[in-house]
């Protein structure tokens, strides 16, 4: 038996890995973000508010072949398996079983390797990038230059973090700046990435503005840094995490390729360590470091017998933990809220809801996650209506709100359920809902200030000018329904906290009368930095986002 396993180790390993992933994909509830990306796939585009389009393309391909959770997850699982195969080619291991022990010690690859999230294709294209880079620096041929350029572009089409992989690799080999092949590869990659950049330009660079200026701007807490560091041990391990990071620090690189791996692994660690002082850092943001960590760890433990023994000792308990977590993801057997919320919160109630509301569309308050999962599990078209006090999502830009204008919907929320005439009990929370016979929401009406920022004195009144854009579909609807005359107001925020509202003597019907709006604003505020956001009422009572941030400094 041992001889059979040793002789057929490679096909046995990859077949088992893939089949376990298939089973997990079939029987595990979609994660919140997976359902959101499934909606991405219903609106294929060159870009989205949150991410580039790669994950949407993969999900769309899978849903053409299969239904349900497997269709969403099939191609991410294929790429996860191929990631390990390409990483094996990068390592070229003399001891194949040791390499597989290293891979199996990285439990995260098993536990989330089937998820339809951008990190999975990002890992794959990270492995492809390093495979192309290794070939390229060995032979700067035109073919290898083209392959390297394509790999760079695919990284960027997957997740914006791909730029860090390219940057850290170049920092590890700065002499490449003298090579014309580098500039040729960069030009080709930029041309390949141009459709996404054009999409960003047409959408006012909304993804970059969100990630750079709106996301992750909480006041600093020391726990952000400690949670980040502990998370890095878990995402690389969990039990062998110390070995992985020790390898990244201690392994002495032998060539430019290995140096690129080390720069990338440690570069991600330190870059997001510094980012943790700005705000919360999600553990998965360093996911691309896993590929160089696998390679460096293999090289390190192959040389260091003591570390290798500890890797083997920790492997069995790590596999036991993985097996337990696999079961917990499928079977609802423990009442721990964190586990239930992540893997079992949508068991039963979507079908009950479907029986109650039939085919009527759904509008969820401030939750693109719940809207997306309700859409997936009921089949009813769903919309997440974002309040001006909360973050936006891609629902603000898809043609969902427009399609529901004036139609009957069920409005839902899990908070203040007593305000709803009907409710049902989900696994963790009650869901209140009410029927709205003529839903109207106007998040696509945009007020753009003629000035990007203002400096005013406390107590000063400023005449602010706005260019008003009302889409034709909305304008026609409002002209046909003059009784719909929602109020317009401006919310004042300091950092992420709502401070107050400025009521305006303006209504929705006023906005369709003229392309420019002039309003006086009294800035009766203490000195400091603020931002404003225009908001328009809706039939649900929610005031929506109707402008980008307007920065104001009170002197």
């Amino acid at each position: 038996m041992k001889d059979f396993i040793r002789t057929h180790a490679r096909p046995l390993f990859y077949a088992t890995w893939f089949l376990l992933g298939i089973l997990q994909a079939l029987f595990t509830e979609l994660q919140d973000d997976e359902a959101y990306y499934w909606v991405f796939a219903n609106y294929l585009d060159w870009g989205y508010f949150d991410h580039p389009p790669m994950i949407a393309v993969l999900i769309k391909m899978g849903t053409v072949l299969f239904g349900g959770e497997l269709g969403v997850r099939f191609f991410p699982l294929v790429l996860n398996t191929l990631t390990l195969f390409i990483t094996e080619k990068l390592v070229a291991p003399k001891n194949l079983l040791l390499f597989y022990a290293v891979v199996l010690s990285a439990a995260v690859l098993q536990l989330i390797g089937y998820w339809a999230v951008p990190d999975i294709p990002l890992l794959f294209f990270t492995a492809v990038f390093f495979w192309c880079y290794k070939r390229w620096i060995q032979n700067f041929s035109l073919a290898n230059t083209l392959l390297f350029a394509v790999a760079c572009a695919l990284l960027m089409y997957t997740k914006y973090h791909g730029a860090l992989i390219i940057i850290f690799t170049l920092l590890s080999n700065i002499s490449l700046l003298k090579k014309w092949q580098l500039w040729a590869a960069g030009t080709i990659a930029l041309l390949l990435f141009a459709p996404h950049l054009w999409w960003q330009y047409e959408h006012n660079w909304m993804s970059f503005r969100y990630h750079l200026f709106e996301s992750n701007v909480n006041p600093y807490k020391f726990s952000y840094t400690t949670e980040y560091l502990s998370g890095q041990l878990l995402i690389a391990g969990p039990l062998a995490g110390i070995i992985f990071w020790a390898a990244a620090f201690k392994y002495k690189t032998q060539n430019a390729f290995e140096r690129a791996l080390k720069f990338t692994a440690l570069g991600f660690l330190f870059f997001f360590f510094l980012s943790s002082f700005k705000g919360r850092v999600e553990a998965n943001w360093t996911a691309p470091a896993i590929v160089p960590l696998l390679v460096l760890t293999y090289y390190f433990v192959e040389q260091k017998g003591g570390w290798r023994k500890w890797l083997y000792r920790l492997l069995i308990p790590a596999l036991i933990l993985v097996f337990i977590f696999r079961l917990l993801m499928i079977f609802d057997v423990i009442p721990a809220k964190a586990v239930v919320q992540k893997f079992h919160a949508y068991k039963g109630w979507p079908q009950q809801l479907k029986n109650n509301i039939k085919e009527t569309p759904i509008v969820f308050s401030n939750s693109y996650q719940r809207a997306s999962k309700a859409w997936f599990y009921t089949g009813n078209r769903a919309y997440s209506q974002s309040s001006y006090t909360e973050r936006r999502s891609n629902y603000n830009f898809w043609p969902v709100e427009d399609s529901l204008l004036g139609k009957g919907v069920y409005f839902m929320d899990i908070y203040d359920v007593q305000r709803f005439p009907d409710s049902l009990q989900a696994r963790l929370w009650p869901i209140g809902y009410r029927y709205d016979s003529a839903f109207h929401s106007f998040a696509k009406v945009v007020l753009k200030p003629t000035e990007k920022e203002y400096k005013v004195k406390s107590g000063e009144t400023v005449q602010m000018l706005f260019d008003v854009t009302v889409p034709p579909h909305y304008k026609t609807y409002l002209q046909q329904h003059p009784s719909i005359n929602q109020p317009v107001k401006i919310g004042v925020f300091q950092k992420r906290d709502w401070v107050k509202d400025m009521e305006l003597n303006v209504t929705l019907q006023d906005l369709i009368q003229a392309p420019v709006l002039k309003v006086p604003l009294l800035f009766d505020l203490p000195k400091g930095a603020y931002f404003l956001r225009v908001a328009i009422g809706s039939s649900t009572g929610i005031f929506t986002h109707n402008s980008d941030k307007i920065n104001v400094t009170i002197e």
Side-chain angles (χ1 to χ4, degrees), residues 60-78:
K60 187 67 175 181
M61 291 165 54
T63 54
V64 169
L65 297 177
F66 307 103
E69 290 90 343
L70 180 60
V72 175
R73 292 165 166 164
F74 182 75
F75 280 102
L77 174 59
V78 170

Side-chain angles (χ1 to χ4, degrees), residues 162-217:
L164 294 177
I165 299 166
I166 299 169
I167 291 169
F168 292 137
T169 298
L170 292 178
L171 289 175
S172 74
N173 193 356
I174 206 73
S175 63
L176 287 174
L177 294 173
K178 300 176 183 178
K179 296 281 187 181
W180 68 264
Q181 291 92 338
L182 173 69
W183 300 101
T187 301
I188 295 168
L190 186 62
L191 290 172
L192 293 173
F193 195 57
H196 177 72
L197 295 176
W198 181 255
W199 181 92
Q200 288 288 352
Y201 170 75
E202 288 187 318
H203 292 80
N204 198 24
W205 306 99
M206 65 180 183
S207 302
F208 299 147
R209 288 187 294 110
Y210 170 70
H211 287 297
L212 293 176
F213 305 116
E214 297 181 31
S215 175
N216 192 32
V217 289

Side-chain angles (χ1 to χ4, degrees), residues 152-355:
C152 292
L154 290 173
L155 269 179
M156 294 302 299
Y157 270 115
T158 303
K159 202 172 181 181
Y160 298 120
H161 292 169
L164 294 177
I165 299 166
I166 299 169
I167 291 169
F168 292 137
T169 298
L170 292 178
L171 289 175
S172 74
N173 193 356
I174 206 73
S175 63
L176 287 174
L177 294 173
K178 300 176 183 178
K179 296 281 187 181
W180 68 264
Q181 291 92 338
L182 173 69
W183 300 101
T187 301
I188 295 168
L190 186 62
L191 290 172
L192 293 173
F193 195 57
H196 177 72
L197 295 176
W198 181 255
W199 181 92
Q200 288 288 352
Y201 170 75
E202 288 187 318
H203 292 80
N204 198 24
W205 306 99
M206 65 180 183
S207 302
F208 299 147
R209 288 187 294 110
Y210 170 70
H211 287 297
L212 293 176
F213 305 116
E214 297 181 31
S215 175
N216 192 32
V217 289
N218 295 305
Y220 176 69
K221 296 179 182 178
F222 183 65
S223 61
Y224 291 165
T225 302
T226 56
E227 288 172 3
Y228 166 73
L229 292 174
S230 60
Q232 295 318 297
L233 290 175
L234 290 174
I235 202 169
L239 301 183
I242 293 176
I243 298 176
F244 277 78
W245 286 113
F249 279 95
K250 295 174 70 69
Y251 179 72
K252 294 182 179 179
T253 59
Q254 307 297 312
N255 50 54
F257 169 67
E258 293 180 3
R259 191 163 62 249
L261 295 172
K262 187 164 187 170
F263 266 63
T264 300
L266 298 182
F268 266 88
L269 179 68
F270 286 115
F271 179 86
F272 287 108
F273 171 72
L274 294 176
S275 297
S276 72
F277 292 97
K278 176 188 173 185
R280 186 183 299 277
V281 174
E282 302 293 337
N284 65 292
W285 291 357
T286 61
I290 292 176
V291 170
L293 281 175
L294 291 175
V295 180
L296 295 172
T297 299
Y298 173 83
Y299 289 153
F300 181 69
V301 297
E302 186 185 42
Q303 297 175 0
K304 307 291 183 180
W307 290 91
R308 184 167 64 251
K309 289 178 182 178
W310 273 108
L311 182 80
Y312 282 133
R313 288 170 184 166
L314 294 172
L315 179 58
I316 298 302
L319 290 176
I320 292 172
L321 283 175
V322 167
F323 178 72
I324 292 171
F325 273 102
R326 283 186 183 275
L327 293 179
L328 293 179
M329 286 189 283
I330 295 174
F331 300 106
D332 188 6
V333 293
I334 65 171
K337 182 178 179 181
V339 176
V340 172
Q341 183 167 326
K342 200 159 187 66
F343 301 108
H344 309 293
Y346 282 72
K347 283 184 166 54
W349 73 260
Q351 291 71 35
Q352 182 185 346
L353 178 66
K354 179 78 170 181
N355 292 335

Side-chain angles (χ1 to χ4, degrees), residues 6 80 128 144 419:
R6 191 175 297 275
N80 171 255
V128 170
N144 286 341
R419 62 194 162 112

